[in-house]
Amino acid sequence: MPQLLPDAATLAQHAQQYPDFAHWQAGHGPVQHSPQTSAAVFRLAHQLVQSGLQPDLPSVYRLFRALDSLTAAGLWLVVHMTYAQRVRLDGQPLQAEDFKPVPEGHTGGALNMVPAYAGYLALNALTAETRGWLMGQGHCVAAIEALNLLTGNQHPEQAERYTCDEAGMSCLAADFYSYAQAADGSPGVPLGSHVNPHTAGGIAEGGYLGFAELQYAHLPLPGEKLVAFLSDGAAEEQRGSDWMPRWWRAEDCGVALPVMIANGRRIEQRTELGTLEGLEGFRRHLRGCGFDPLSFDGRDPAAFVCALWEMEQRLAHRVDERNRELIDYPLPMPYGIAETTKGYGFYGAGSNAAHNLPLPASPALDAHARELFNQHAAALWVQPQALAEACSLFAAGKGREPERDNPLARRQPAQPIQPALHFHDAACSPMSALDRYFVDLVRANPQLRPRVGNPDELASNRLGGVLKALKHRVSQPESELESVHGAVITVLNEEAVVSACLANQGGLNLVASYEAFCVKMLGAVRQSLIFARQQKEVGRPAGWLGWPLVATSHTWENGKNQQSHQDTTFCEALLGEMHDVVRVLLPADHNSLLALLPGIYQERGRLACVVVAKREQPCSFTAAQAQQLARDGALLVAAEGEGEPVLLIASGSYQLHAMRRAAVRLSQHAVAWRLIYLQEPGRFRGPRDAWEAPALATPAEHEALFPAAYRRRVLLSHMRPEVARGHLSTVLGEGAFCRVLGYRNRGGTFDEAGMLFANGCTWAHVLQSVAEVLGTAVDAWLTAEERAALAGTGDPNILR
């Protein structure tokens, strides 16, 4: 296809021949078109007609004229959402009582997103193809909600409440930051301050800046297209996004089009990219990372349309060159840079105030601010009939699905075929169960794209089989464990590798990391959990397949690497999340881990935090016991003695071994006990809402394992005792009759036994706790040397 590069004279002649082109060139209020954008629109229009996507040039230009009207109306509605309680479609000035007493809204960023999202909608309409979208700066949601209302791209609950008339738009404006709350404490309106499941087409909240940058390349599957709107502030912070060309492959990835909204400002200061030198340096940086940067006018929606189209053509050309073996990976990935001004289109653009509230005061209280609002809103007003006609051109039709139903927003992969499970009773690393299972699972399901997130060492974490089968993804393989098409995303950046799997919502995933380093994944994981929970609450539950976040090389067996490698925060933090969207699991051996895996991978919209020892562990459970543990979350392991027993509750592999040893000593002294292994602690918490309750143990299951009649209880936990005590008050009962032992932030260069002793978690410490709840002395159960060690005056080695 010839690349038409018209000069000014050609454009002027074209405008005379095609009045619709001339009318579009006139713009609307602050929506104006540079000569460069006019030339790009001219070229795009001819390409669309020549490729059969549009019947004629006037049809293209009419849609571009409609795009100007839609953009202006979107800007107009966004500023009303921040400041006003109502709109006036007749364009008359608002009065003091029409404004919110306390305005709120990330106005500047939302204004910048209006031409971006409008351009995305226009490209879909022009090409009769629905792309997905992702917005890293989720606080700019007002732009999305405003344009979705105007184009009728809404979920049913919003379509009912926010109609495309004065009443519906006024309702949208009034609801935005209204803090409305329903009787049950949930949000009272189908609208939020960030992207949420009510936002049509939304797939991520975007509350944590920087994660969209790490996920967009991994989101689309082959045949799909995604436009990712990114933040210039986040680009300065989240360097993991620089590696996207290293991971993108045409064979297993769909088209991913990143567009940075380069408005040059954070909340209260200029970004590094907010200067010409900064932007040029960023372009050089992008080229060095393997990107193909394309700068354009970020104030003009037409420039977005042309840039996105050009990016698609460039990527397709590069893929064709790769197929003809002219170039190799990494391909130069197109990267759009939309150069704009923070808050462009309204008063205060380019100032720090533009971030949130650009006017100098509240229009409800200040006449000058009210005058400024009405003056600048008037420049954006679109006559209602013209607006209706313009919006009608964006409606999905001719077999094209609306943007709310884009493929990325409706992930529902088929249930995976489950491989055979190979239980055995030999001592081994529990991780060997996962290693074999995942390889077999991927082999049995070639239709599901695999991703393995690896910030550490797969071999060290006993996943050598996974590495051999799936290989590190690299551009230039250096060994048999590396491949251009490998499925293992390896980089020493936990946020980047977990994001690769969080984004792979149409496939099979596995993340394994040292437990202490998993903490760096928490923000990204929590954002996904929040969105999945909200999707369930609005009646459109997430359809992606569950997978495990494996915290191995964990606290109790990583003493050799000093205390920085000894941290139980990850599982503790995820235990605080809702149990119906994430389970915290502590399997003790090969069999108990293996029995969990089919259930984890058959879940929908639910992750599993699995804390696993990597070192060899004895077989603690038979296949039948392991399957019962997987089903029930806890298991009565053994019991001895007459009378009321002490409940010995272990949670964690090394904790189970210590409890078993304590139980032997108790039996020697005729103390009755029941040993319970607690593999899924969150299952036995008290329900926090109606959504969580079905995921928890029933009262009958609870009573069977933790009978109320047996009041005396000792819990030895993998976690910090205070955290375990708080979450498991329903299990532990009265404080006077329970003790909790666990990680108490003591560590250093120790082995497993040394870690247990340093944290007061040996079998002898268990006996001391049992004595306390029984109201007796521990001395009779220990030798003099053991008592001295327990008291901290003897040799700790005697307790090994």
Side-chain angles (χ1 to χ4, degrees):
M1 184 178 298
Q3 295 296 302
L4 303 174
L5 299 171
D7 56 18
T10 302
L11 292 176
Q13 181 180 1
H14 193 69
Q16 289 183 341
Q17 183 178 1
Y18 292 96
D20 289 300
F21 182 73
H23 292 160
W24 167 78
Q25 282 186 307
H28 184 115
V31 183
Q32 295 296 314
H33 312 298
S34 69
Q36 293 83 0
T37 302
S38 293
V41 167
F42 173 95
R43 182 175 62 190
L44 171 60
H46 284 80
Q47 290 175 338
L48 291 172
V49 173
Q50 291 168 12
S51 61
L53 293 172
Q54 285 292 315
D56 50 50
L57 294 176
S59 297
V60 178
Y61 299 140
R62 282 194 291 272
L63 195 137
F64 272 104
R65 289 179 60 198
L67 176 58
D68 283 358
S69 297
L70 177 67
T71 301
L75 296 170
W76 178 84
L77 189 49
V78 162
V79 296
H80 280 77
M81 290 172 72
T82 293
Y83 285 106
Q85 299 183 111
R86 62 159 296 183
V87 306
R88 291 197 58 161
L89 282 181
D90 60 8
Q92 292 302 303
L94 297 186
Q95 305 304 310
E97 61 272 16
D98 296 328
F99 291 95
K100 298 175 181 178
V102 182
E104 186 63 82
H106 297 86
T107 312
L111 290 170
N112 292 151
M113 271 303 303
V114 169
Y117 187 69
Y120 153 84
L121 294 172
L123 182 62
N124 289 343
L126 285 166
T127 60
E129 183 178 10
T130 301
R131 296 155 183 83
W133 64 272
L134 174 70
M135 182 170 63
Q137 49 276 51
H139 55 272
C140 299
V141 70
I144 310 297
E145 302 289 14
L147 291 170
N148 279 348
L149 181 154
L150 292 170
T151 58
N153 176 47
Q154 297 165 298
H155 288 304
E157 69 277 12
Q158 284 200 337
E160 180 181 0
R161 186 172 179 88
Y162 307 129
T163 49
C164 194
D165 53 24
E166 185 167 298
M169 294 182 199
S170 294
C171 187
L172 180 75
D175 281 356
F176 190 58
Y177 273 104
S178 69
Y179 305 103
Q181 195 167 37
D184 63 356
S186 63
V189 295
L191 189 68
S193 60
H194 288 66
V195 174
N196 64 84
H198 293 298
T199 307
I203 58 175
E205 182 194 55
Y208 290 85
L209 282 175
F211 292 136
E213 283 78 357
L214 298 177
Q215 295 180 14
Y216 71 84
H218 304 283
L219 277 162
L221 293 170
E224 299 172 349
K225 294 179 180 179
L226 169 71
V227 177
F229 301 108
L230 309 176
S231 158
D232 56 354
E236 291 185 0
E237 303 166 17
Q238 194 57 269
R239 286 307 187 197
S241 61
D242 301 348
W243 304 319
M244 290 302 105
R246 291 167 56 178
W247 313 134
W248 193 87
R249 302 288 185 267
E251 289 78 4
D252 71 351
C253 298
V255 172
L257 305 175
V259 178
M260 175 194 286
I261 309 299
N263 59 32
R265 288 201 170 270
R266 301 186 187 90
I267 296 175
E268 57 183 21
Q269 64 176 155
R270 185 192 298 270
T271 64
E272 180 185 343
L273 304 184
T275 65
L276 288 175
E277 297 84 357
L279 265 178
E280 183 52 41
F282 184 64
R283 282 188 282 267
R284 288 195 301 269
H285 174 75
L286 288 174
R287 293 187 189 98
C289 293
F291 287 100
D292 177 16
L294 172 67
S295 295
F296 61 93
D297 185 355
R299 301 164 301 178
D300 186 347
F304 278 94
V305 180
C306 297
L308 291 171
W309 171 263
E310 175 67 18
M311 290 165 69
E312 284 189 7
Q313 306 314 302
R314 288 189 187 186
L315 185 58
H317 177 66
R318 296 303 189 183
V319 171
D320 177 65
E321 289 183 320
R322 151 74 184 166
N323 292 339
R324 291 188 285 125
E325 300 183 348
L326 300 177
I327 60 174
D328 209 341
Y329 290 114
L331 304 185
M333 276 191 76
Y335 192 109
I337 302 175
E339 299 184 26
T340 187
T341 303
K342 189 73 171 273
Y344 179 80
F346 193 66
Y347 175 85
S351 67
N352 285 341
H355 173 76
N356 194 35
L357 300 172
L359 294 175
S362 170
L365 307 173
D366 184 272
H368 178 58
R370 190 159 56 248
E371 180 183 351
L372 287 173
F373 177 93
N374 285 321
Q375 173 190 340
H376 287 269
L380 301 170
W381 177 75
V382 181
Q383 194 274 335
Q385 182 60 37
L387 178 60
E389 292 173 0
C391 292
S392 68
L393 297 183
F394 291 85
K398 302 177 184 176
R400 182 174 75 86
E401 57 199 356
E403 281 75 15
R404 68 167 182 266
D405 294 329
N406 74 78
L408 282 78
R410 294 186 294 107
R411 283 282 183 244
Q412 196 74 32
Q415 279 287 3
I417 298 169
Q418 289 295 322
L421 302 183
H422 302 278
F423 294 101
H424 62 71
D425 59 3
C428 66
S429 167
M431 288 293 289
S432 64
L434 176 58
D435 192 36
R436 179 170 185 175
Y437 172 88
F438 191 71
V439 171
D440 290 347
L441 181 68
V442 170
R443 186 176 295 125
N445 296 276
Q447 78 284 4
L448 296 173
R449 179 178 66 178
R451 282 288 181 270
V452 178
N454 172 45
D456 307 309
E457 307 165 83
L458 282 185
S460 172
N461 284 326
R462 306 299 173 88
L463 289 171
V466 169
L467 179 57
K468 184 177 180 181
L470 299 180
K471 306 185 189 310
H472 298 293
R473 175 165 292 197
V474 297
S475 300
Q476 296 178 324
E478 294 182 345
S479 77
E480 63 179 10
L481 299 179
E482 297 179 342
S483 169
V484 169
H485 299 291
V488 181
I489 305 301
T490 301
V491 66
L492 196 56
N493 181 308
E494 285 76 9
E495 292 175 321
V497 298
V498 78
S499 289
C501 293
L502 291 169
N504 184 36
Q505 296 186 353
L508 300 170
N509 298 288
L510 167 63
V511 168
S513 178
Y514 285 25
E515 181 180 27
F517 301 160
C518 284
V519 177
K520 291 190 278 185
M521 302 179 185
L522 274 173
V525 171
R526 186 167 184 269
Q527 179 168 267
S528 292
L529 295 178
I530 290 170
F531 203 82
R533 182 43 129 77
Q534 292 176 345
Q535 285 178 294
K536 178 188 292 187
E537 292 175 3
V538 303
R540 291 183 290 272
W544 47 265
L545 298 171
W547 49 275
L549 292 146
V550 182
T552 188
S553 296
H554 66 57
T555 297
W556 299 95
E557 62 180 12
N558 210 8
K560 70 172 186 175
N561 283 322
Q562 263 289 342
Q563 198 169 358
S564 63
H565 285 53
Q566 299 152 14
D567 186 359
T568 57
T569 297
F570 188 62
C571 61
E572 294 166 357
L574 290 181
L575 190 60
E577 299 300 325
M578 305 308 282
H579 193 69
D580 55 307
V581 291
V582 62
R583 304 161 72 193
V584 173
L585 303 163
L586 298 101
D589 67 354
H590 171 281
N591 287 349
S592 54
L593 174 55
L594 182 59
L596 284 167
L597 295 173
I600 290 173
Y601 281 100
Q602 289 172 9
E603 295 268 21
R604 299 278 181 175
R606 192 185 197 193
L607 297 177
C609 168
V610 186
V611 182
V612 190
K614 71 175 183 181
R615 296 184 181 169
E616 184 176 288
Q617 301 294 317
C619 178
S620 296
F621 304 111
T622 66
Q625 288 176 315
Q627 289 169 327
Q628 183 179 348
L629 257 178
R631 181 182 68 249
D632 297 342
L635 177 74
L636 175 60
V637 178
E640 280 193 20
E642 301 295 329
E644 180 184 339
V646 175
L647 298 189
L648 305 177
I649 308 166
S651 189
S653 53
Y654 294 100
Q655 289 68 30
L656 177 60
H657 306 327
M659 276 295 200
R660 284 186 182 276
R661 191 169 173 188
V664 170
R665 189 66 65 94
L666 290 174
S667 292
Q668 291 171 356
H669 292 83
V671 178
W673 55 268
R674 284 166 58 104
L675 175 56
I676 298 148
Y677 189 69
L678 182 56
Q679 179 171 268
E680 188 173 351
R683 183 168 161 75
F684 296 92
R685 71 176 337 126
R688 289 168 286 181
D689 64 17
W691 299 101
E692 187 175 42
L696 305 184
T698 66
E701 291 169 331
H702 197 286
E703 175 65 17
L705 286 159
F706 308 103
Y710 302 157
R711 296 184 301 163
R712 294 172 174 82
R713 306 175 180 196
V714 176
L715 168 63
L716 179 55
S717 172
H718 173 91
M719 306 177 209
R720 292 177 175 89
E722 298 82 4
V723 174
R725 184 189 294 272
H727 286 293
L728 296 174
S729 59
T730 52
V731 167
L732 296 170
E734 299 177 57
F737 297 104
C738 76
R739 295 292 183 273
V740 183
L741 308 177
Y743 178 60
R744 57 187 190 186
N745 297 327
R746 301 291 295 170
T749 307
F750 299 130
D751 59 9
E752 294 95 329
M755 285 295 297
L756 289 168
F757 183 82
N759 287 280
C761 290
T762 69
W763 61 274
H765 292 91
V766 171
L767 292 180
Q768 185 178 50
S769 294
V770 170
E772 290 173 3
V773 299
L774 290 175
T776 187
V778 74
D779 293 5
W781 302 343
L782 301 172
T783 66
E785 292 84 358
E786 290 167 346
R787 289 197 299 273
L790 187 62
T793 58
D795 181 4
N797 290 312
I798 198 71
L799 301 181
R800 287 177 177 264

Short mmCIF file of all heavy atoms in Angstrom, two decimals, residues 6-22 25 42 46 57 61:
data_model
loop_
_atom_site.label_atom_id
_atom_site.label_comp_id
_atom_site.label_asym_id
_atom_site.label_seq_id
_atom_site.Cartn_x
_atom_site.Cartn_y
_atom_site.Cartn_z
N PRO A 6 0.81 13.81 1.93
CA PRO A 6 0.34 15.03 1.25
C PRO A 6 0.97 16.28 1.83
O PRO A 6 1.20 16.38 3.03
CB PRO A 6 -1.17 15.00 1.51
CG PRO A 6 -1.31 14.25 2.79
CD PRO A 6 -0.24 13.20 2.75
N ASP A 7 1.22 17.25 0.98
CA ASP A 7 1.70 18.53 1.44
C ASP A 7 0.50 19.47 1.65
O ASP A 7 -0.66 19.08 1.46
CB ASP A 7 2.69 19.14 0.45
CG ASP A 7 2.10 19.26 -0.96
OD1 ASP A 7 0.86 19.22 -1.10
OD2 ASP A 7 2.89 19.39 -1.90
N ALA A 8 0.77 20.70 2.06
CA ALA A 8 -0.31 21.64 2.37
C ALA A 8 -1.20 21.91 1.17
O ALA A 8 -2.44 22.02 1.30
CB ALA A 8 0.29 22.94 2.90
N ALA A 9 -0.59 22.03 0.00
CA ALA A 9 -1.39 22.31 -1.19
C ALA A 9 -2.32 21.16 -1.51
O ALA A 9 -3.50 21.37 -1.88
CB ALA A 9 -0.46 22.59 -2.38
N THR A 10 -1.83 19.95 -1.35
CA THR A 10 -2.66 18.77 -1.61
C THR A 10 -3.83 18.72 -0.63
O THR A 10 -4.97 18.42 -1.01
CB THR A 10 -1.82 17.49 -1.51
OG1 THR A 10 -0.74 17.57 -2.44
CG2 THR A 10 -2.67 16.26 -1.77
N LEU A 11 -3.55 19.02 0.63
CA LEU A 11 -4.61 19.01 1.64
C LEU A 11 -5.65 20.09 1.35
O LEU A 11 -6.86 19.87 1.51
CB LEU A 11 -4.02 19.21 3.04
CG LEU A 11 -3.15 18.06 3.58
CD1 LEU A 11 -2.55 18.45 4.93
CD2 LEU A 11 -3.98 16.78 3.72
N ALA A 12 -5.20 21.26 0.92
CA ALA A 12 -6.16 22.35 0.60
C ALA A 12 -7.04 21.96 -0.57
O ALA A 12 -8.26 22.20 -0.56
CB ALA A 12 -5.37 23.62 0.29
N GLN A 13 -6.44 21.37 -1.60
CA GLN A 13 -7.22 20.93 -2.75
C GLN A 13 -8.20 19.84 -2.35
O GLN A 13 -9.36 19.81 -2.80
CB GLN A 13 -6.27 20.42 -3.84
CG GLN A 13 -6.99 19.96 -5.10
CD GLN A 13 -6.02 19.46 -6.15
OE1 GLN A 13 -4.81 19.43 -5.93
NE2 GLN A 13 -6.54 19.05 -7.30
N HIS A 14 -7.75 18.92 -1.45
CA HIS A 14 -8.61 17.84 -0.99
C HIS A 14 -9.80 18.40 -0.21
O HIS A 14 -10.93 17.89 -0.32
CB HIS A 14 -7.79 16.89 -0.12
CG HIS A 14 -8.47 15.58 0.16
ND1 HIS A 14 -8.70 14.62 -0.80
CD2 HIS A 14 -8.99 15.08 1.32
CE1 HIS A 14 -9.31 13.58 -0.25
NE2 HIS A 14 -9.50 13.83 1.03
N ALA A 15 -9.55 19.44 0.58
CA ALA A 15 -10.63 20.05 1.36
C ALA A 15 -11.69 20.67 0.44
O ALA A 15 -12.89 20.66 0.76
CB ALA A 15 -10.06 21.09 2.30
N GLN A 16 -11.25 21.22 -0.68
CA GLN A 16 -12.22 21.77 -1.63
C GLN A 16 -13.05 20.67 -2.28
O GLN A 16 -14.24 20.83 -2.53
CB GLN A 16 -11.47 22.56 -2.72
CG GLN A 16 -10.88 23.86 -2.23
CD GLN A 16 -10.23 24.64 -3.36
OE1 GLN A 16 -9.91 24.09 -4.42
NE2 GLN A 16 -10.03 25.95 -3.15
N GLN A 17 -12.41 19.54 -2.54
CA GLN A 17 -13.10 18.42 -3.20
C GLN A 17 -14.03 17.70 -2.24
O GLN A 17 -15.09 17.21 -2.66
CB GLN A 17 -12.05 17.46 -3.77
CG GLN A 17 -12.64 16.29 -4.55
CD GLN A 17 -11.56 15.39 -5.13
OE1 GLN A 17 -10.37 15.64 -4.93
NE2 GLN A 17 -11.97 14.36 -5.85
N TYR A 18 -13.64 17.63 -0.96
CA TYR A 18 -14.43 16.88 0.03
C TYR A 18 -14.81 17.82 1.19
O TYR A 18 -14.02 18.04 2.11
CB TYR A 18 -13.63 15.69 0.57
CG TYR A 18 -13.40 14.62 -0.47
CD1 TYR A 18 -12.21 14.58 -1.21
CD2 TYR A 18 -14.36 13.66 -0.74
CE1 TYR A 18 -11.99 13.61 -2.17
CE2 TYR A 18 -14.16 12.66 -1.68
CZ TYR A 18 -12.97 12.65 -2.40
OH TYR A 18 -12.77 11.68 -3.35
N PRO A 19 -16.01 18.40 1.15
CA PRO A 19 -16.43 19.33 2.21
C PRO A 19 -16.38 18.71 3.60
O PRO A 19 -16.12 19.43 4.58
CB PRO A 19 -17.87 19.68 1.79
CG PRO A 19 -17.91 19.43 0.32
CD PRO A 19 -17.00 18.27 0.07
N ASP A 20 -16.64 17.40 3.71
CA ASP A 20 -16.59 16.78 5.04
C ASP A 20 -15.19 16.86 5.63
O ASP A 20 -15.02 17.00 6.85
CB ASP A 20 -17.03 15.31 4.94
CG ASP A 20 -18.51 15.17 4.67
OD1 ASP A 20 -19.30 15.66 5.49
OD2 ASP A 20 -18.88 14.59 3.63
N PHE A 21 -14.18 16.77 4.78
CA PHE A 21 -12.81 16.91 5.25
C PHE A 21 -12.56 18.34 5.72
O PHE A 21 -11.96 18.56 6.79
CB PHE A 21 -11.83 16.54 4.12
CG PHE A 21 -10.38 16.60 4.52
CD1 PHE A 21 -9.82 15.64 5.36
CD2 PHE A 21 -9.56 17.63 4.05
CE1 PHE A 21 -8.48 15.69 5.72
CE2 PHE A 21 -8.22 17.69 4.41
CZ PHE A 21 -7.68 16.71 5.25
N ALA A 22 -13.05 19.29 4.97
CA ALA A 22 -12.89 20.69 5.36
C ALA A 22 -13.62 20.98 6.67
O ALA A 22 -13.08 21.68 7.54
CB ALA A 22 -13.42 21.60 4.24
N GLN A 25 -11.61 19.63 9.50
CA GLN A 25 -10.41 20.43 9.78
C GLN A 25 -10.70 21.62 10.68
O GLN A 25 -9.81 22.11 11.37
CB GLN A 25 -9.78 20.92 8.47
CG GLN A 25 -8.98 19.87 7.73
CD GLN A 25 -8.27 20.46 6.52
OE1 GLN A 25 -8.90 21.09 5.67
NE2 GLN A 25 -6.96 20.26 6.45
N PHE A 42 -5.77 12.18 6.20
CA PHE A 42 -5.88 12.01 4.75
C PHE A 42 -5.34 10.63 4.33
O PHE A 42 -5.98 9.89 3.59
CB PHE A 42 -5.07 13.13 4.09
CG PHE A 42 -4.93 13.02 2.58
CD1 PHE A 42 -5.80 13.69 1.74
CD2 PHE A 42 -3.91 12.25 2.02
CE1 PHE A 42 -5.67 13.60 0.37
CE2 PHE A 42 -3.77 12.15 0.64
CZ PHE A 42 -4.65 12.83 -0.19
N HIS A 46 -7.60 7.17 2.98
CA HIS A 46 -7.35 6.45 1.73
C HIS A 46 -7.02 4.98 1.98
O HIS A 46 -7.46 4.10 1.23
CB HIS A 46 -6.21 7.13 0.96
CG HIS A 46 -6.63 8.40 0.27
ND1 HIS A 46 -6.74 9.61 0.93
CD2 HIS A 46 -6.99 8.65 -1.02
CE1 HIS A 46 -7.13 10.54 0.09
NE2 HIS A 46 -7.29 9.99 -1.11
N LEU A 57 -14.43 7.97 1.01
CA LEU A 57 -13.74 8.95 1.85
C LEU A 57 -14.70 9.78 2.70
O LEU A 57 -14.44 10.01 3.89
CB LEU A 57 -12.87 9.85 0.97
CG LEU A 57 -11.68 9.17 0.28
CD1 LEU A 57 -10.97 10.16 -0.64
CD2 LEU A 57 -10.71 8.60 1.30
N TYR A 61 -14.53 10.75 6.83
CA TYR A 61 -14.45 12.11 7.36
C TYR A 61 -15.67 12.43 8.23
O TYR A 61 -15.54 13.20 9.21
CB TYR A 61 -14.32 13.11 6.21
CG TYR A 61 -13.08 12.90 5.38
CD1 TYR A 61 -13.10 13.02 3.99
CD2 TYR A 61 -11.87 12.56 5.99
CE1 TYR A 61 -11.95 12.82 3.23
CE2 TYR A 61 -10.72 12.34 5.24
CZ TYR A 61 -10.76 12.46 3.87
OH TYR A 61 -9.63 12.25 3.11
#
